[in-house]
Amino acid sequence: MLLVLLGWGVGATVLLYVLYSWLIPTAVQFNGSLALLWHDVIVERALDTLTRSTRPQRLLKAVQKHATRGDPQSVISAIDHFCRHSEWAMNIGDEKGSILDSVVSEVNPEKVLELGTYCGYSTVRIARLLPPGARLITLEFNADYAAIARQVIIWAGLEDKVQLVEGASEDWIPRMKEHFGIETFDFVFLDHWKDRYLPDTKLMEDCGLLRKGTVLLADNVICPGVPDYLAYVRNSLSYKSCYFKSHLEYTKAEDGLEKSVFLG
């Protein structure tokens, strides 16, 4: 009887391992909603409970263990490896990250605003490509995320180019000119709360932070999606927009980036 129970226990353990590590992740690869539910809710909560740590904390440990201090590319590579082989995280990811790199290199901005820092992955991607003297202001609402992002940015050696600000975007956008001396931004990367894409874009317009030629690049426009934002920038005479088809970070589910040039 004991051997039977032991056999059942081993079999159940093997089955759970196969489900967790291979079958379910493979099954959700092509469905963005299921991928987000599995990785960003079920797995994250389970690992937080089991490890008594948070995903951002685990990501930071991977950076400190595998990335070379002062080398932004090694930080990016360490995070990508962590997200593909250890634990999914909601960074822009390597595939869409290459699109971000191309747009930043094309614009060559001196004044950049990032809405949504999370753990600093896209911040590092952007900041490493900026010309000397350029300035990147990144806003993060979650104080715990901001604390991790600061350490990631410092590990990459980019703290002189980046100013991380904690707080809500709707509170800080109207204060940009007064508090930071920013007249207009050359490039804005939107990757925060999806329901804030449109109101924050309109708020930047109202505050005069966009000049003719300012480039807005929005992530996750398909998954989870921002239909109100897309309708606005694609139909407004104030923008010229194009869509870069890609995939949700570290999956095969469709997602993409929307590039919108402000025409004034």
Side-chain angles (χ1 to χ4, degrees):
M1 184 66 178
L2 182 60
L3 290 175
V4 172
L5 291 175
L6 183 61
W8 276 103
V10 171
T13 301
V14 171
L15 177 61
L16 288 173
Y17 177 79
V18 171
L19 285 171
Y20 170 79
S21 63
W22 180 75
L23 190 58
I24 295 177
T26 301
V28 304
Q29 275 286 303
F30 295 91
N31 186 301
S33 297
L34 290 179
L36 290 174
L37 175 63
W38 172 249
H39 292 295
D40 214 25
V41 179
I42 298 172
V43 172
E44 181 172 11
R45 290 178 182 177
L47 290 177
D48 287 358
T49 301
L50 289 171
T51 64
R52 296 184 179 181
S53 64
T54 66
R55 176 172 285 167
Q57 288 170 342
R58 297 188 290 274
L59 183 149
L60 175 61
K61 285 184 179 179
V63 168
Q64 293 171 334
K65 182 177 181 180
H66 299 291
T68 303
R69 186 184 287 270
D71 182 353
Q73 188 57 53
S74 75
V75 170
I76 293 168
S77 297
I79 295 175
D80 283 332
H81 188 273
F82 173 81
C83 293
R84 284 201 176 275
H85 301 286
S86 297
E87 187 177 348
W88 184 95
M90 58 179 181
N91 312 299
I92 188 174
D94 46 5
E95 185 180 350
K96 288 185 294 180
S98 64
I99 299 172
L100 172 62
D101 290 352
S102 296
V103 175
V104 172
S105 297
E106 174 192 351
V107 177
N108 195 32
E110 293 186 358
K111 290 170 288 185
V112 178
L113 175 63
E114 178 184 39
L115 300 177
T117 315
Y118 186 43
C119 295
Y121 175 87
S122 54
T123 311
V124 171
R125 289 202 81 112
I126 294 170
R128 83 193 203 285
L129 297 173
L130 297 180
R135 186 179 184 188
L136 166 57
I137 297 174
T138 180
L139 301 184
E140 176 52 55
F141 178 78
N142 186 304
D144 293 331
Y145 293 168
I148 297 296
R150 281 195 181 90
Q151 296 181 71
V152 170
I153 292 164
I154 290 171
W155 198 271
L158 294 169
E159 62 271 24
D160 291 341
K161 285 188 174 183
V162 178
Q163 186 162 3
L164 196 159
V165 181
E166 291 180 36
S169 53
E170 61 266 35
D171 294 334
W172 276 107
I173 287 173
R175 300 167 61 189
M176 284 290 162
K177 292 189 176 184
E178 176 185 358
H179 195 84
F180 299 107
I182 296 290
E183 290 300 319
T184 58
F185 287 102
D186 305 310
F187 177 72
V188 179
F189 181 54
L190 298 91
D191 195 18
H192 57 328
W193 294 108
K194 308 313 164 191
D195 60 359
R196 290 301 312 173
Y197 278 29
L198 180 55
D200 283 346
T201 296
K202 291 181 176 180
L203 186 57
M204 287 186 287
E205 294 173 5
D206 293 341
C207 293
L209 291 171
L210 306 181
R211 60 164 177 80
K212 184 176 181 180
T214 295
V215 173
L216 279 63
L217 188 67
D219 189 21
N220 300 126
V221 297
I222 301 299
C223 184
V226 282
D228 58 342
Y229 174 82
L230 289 182
Y232 179 72
V233 295
R234 289 176 178 179
N235 294 296
S236 171
L237 296 178
S238 296
Y239 292 93
K240 180 180 180 180
S241 289
C242 63
Y243 172 64
F244 294 94
K245 184 177 180 180
S246 187
H247 297 97
L248 179 68
E249 42 269 30
Y250 313 112
T251 76
K252 298 185 185 301
E254 184 181 347
D255 192 19
L257 297 158
E258 187 81 4
K259 175 188 174 185
S260 304
V261 181
F262 186 63
L263 303 178

